[in-house]
């Protein structure tokens, strides 16, 4: 209930104050696990993406945010879950795979932090690893204009990217790097479309 109410309030704000424009198909098929993966330039990004798609997104968020009293409780109630950005966080991986296995939508910013220049950063391999291990597609999403409090916000939703997941338990670093490169290339392509 909190997610739906928060989404309606944020959507009204984004439509009126930020003139939100969404390109692509915002309707995710029900009951199927999928990972939403986007570039990251602002704290607004999770809200903007959450308002642009029709299903609830369980965002993986940096653990430090959950230590901020009110904010931590709020994002936890919205379904976000913490990830330690240094090293391998097995508990966040397990949580993400559980959600995907239950047919939920997991949201990840593969760059790991916000880009100060707006240019995409080199991705971490977590999103690729989860897609390959979980046997689920990645949905590339590009966001633009989310920095600051004014100006038009644009979202470009790509098409799901599917991968050969026959060997789900054994995923090589080479496979993850290949998937990550393809994913960021598609996000960059989506960005060029909306930034014209």
């Amino acid at each position: 209930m909190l997610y739906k109410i928060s989404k309606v309030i944020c959507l009204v704000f984004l439509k009126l104050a930020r003139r939100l424009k969404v390109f692509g198909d915002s309707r995710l098929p029900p009951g199927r696990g999928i990972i939403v993966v986007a570039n990251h330039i602002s704290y607004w990004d999770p809200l903007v993406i959450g308002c642009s798609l029709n299903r609830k997104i369980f965002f993986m968020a940096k653990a430090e945010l959950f230590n901020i009293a009110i904010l931590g409780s709020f994002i936890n109630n919205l379904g976000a879950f913490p990830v330690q950005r240094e090293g391998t966080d097995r508990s966040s991986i397990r949580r993400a795979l559980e959600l995907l296995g239950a047919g939920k939508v997991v949201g990840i910013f593969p760059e790991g932090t916000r880009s100060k220049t707006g240019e995409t950063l080199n991705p971490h391999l977590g999103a690729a690893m989860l897609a390959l291990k979980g046997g689920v597609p990645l949905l590339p999403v590009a966001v633009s204009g989310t920095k600051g409090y004014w100006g038009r916000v644009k979202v470009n939703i790509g098409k799901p990217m599917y991968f050969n997941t026959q060997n789900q338990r054994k995923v090589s670093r080479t496979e993850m790097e290949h998937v990550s490169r393809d994913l960021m290339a598609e996000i960059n392509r989506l960005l060029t479309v909306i930034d014209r």
Side-chain angles (χ1 to χ4, degrees):
M1 182 60 84
L2 176 63
Y3 189 93
K4 289 182 179 178
I5 293 170
S6 300
K7 182 172 180 175
V8 169
I9 293 169
C10 289
L11 190 55
V12 169
F13 170 80
L14 289 169
K15 290 276 191 184
L16 295 178
R18 303 300 302 270
R19 296 172 290 138
L20 174 66
K21 176 73 174 173
V22 179
F23 302 88
D25 190 353
S26 63
R27 296 164 300 161
L28 298 179
R32 172 140 196 212
I34 190 167
I35 304 171
V36 173
V37 190
N39 62 308
H40 197 14
I41 54 178
S42 163
Y43 287 119
W44 287 101
D45 297 338
L47 296 173
V48 169
I49 295 166
C51 288
S52 300
L53 294 165
N54 66 325
R55 290 181 59 191
K56 179 175 180 175
I57 303 173
F58 294 81
F59 277 100
M60 190 180 277
K62 64 180 181 179
E64 295 86 346
L65 294 177
F66 293 84
N67 296 328
I68 304 170
I70 296 173
L71 177 63
S73 176
F74 182 68
I75 62 175
N76 183 61
N77 287 326
L78 289 178
F81 60 100
V83 60
Q84 299 288 343
R85 293 187 294 175
E86 301 302 321
T88 303
D89 186 344
R90 296 190 186 282
S91 64
S92 66
I93 292 170
R94 280 195 300 273
R95 177 65 177 146
L97 288 171
E98 284 170 6
L99 289 165
L100 294 167
K104 305 296 184 187
V105 181
V106 172
I108 298 177
F109 297 103
E111 297 160 291
T113 189
R114 288 167 290 123
S115 169
K116 292 180 171 59
T117 64
E119 300 289 320
T120 55
L121 307 172
N122 290 329
H124 295 267
L125 303 180
M129 182 268 294
L130 288 171
L132 292 167
K133 277 188 172 288
V136 297
L138 293 168
L139 180 71
V141 175
V143 293
S144 177
T146 54
K147 278 191 177 178
Y149 296 97
W150 311 109
R152 181 159 218 170
V153 170
K154 298 177 187 175
V155 178
N156 195 2
I157 302 164
K159 295 188 182 307
M161 299 171 69
Y162 296 87
F163 308 96
N164 181 358
T165 55
Q166 291 177 346
N167 301 316
Q168 294 176 11
R169 292 173 191 244
K170 295 182 180 179
V171 178
S172 72
R173 184 176 183 87
T174 303
E175 282 181 285
M176 292 188 288
E177 288 173 348
H178 178 74
V179 168
S180 295
R181 277 196 305 270
D182 287 352
L183 174 65
M184 293 310 292
E186 180 59 12
I187 289 173
N188 278 312
R189 188 193 69 78
L190 293 169
L191 276 171
T192 62
V193 173
I194 54 176
D195 284 341
R196 285 177 186 163

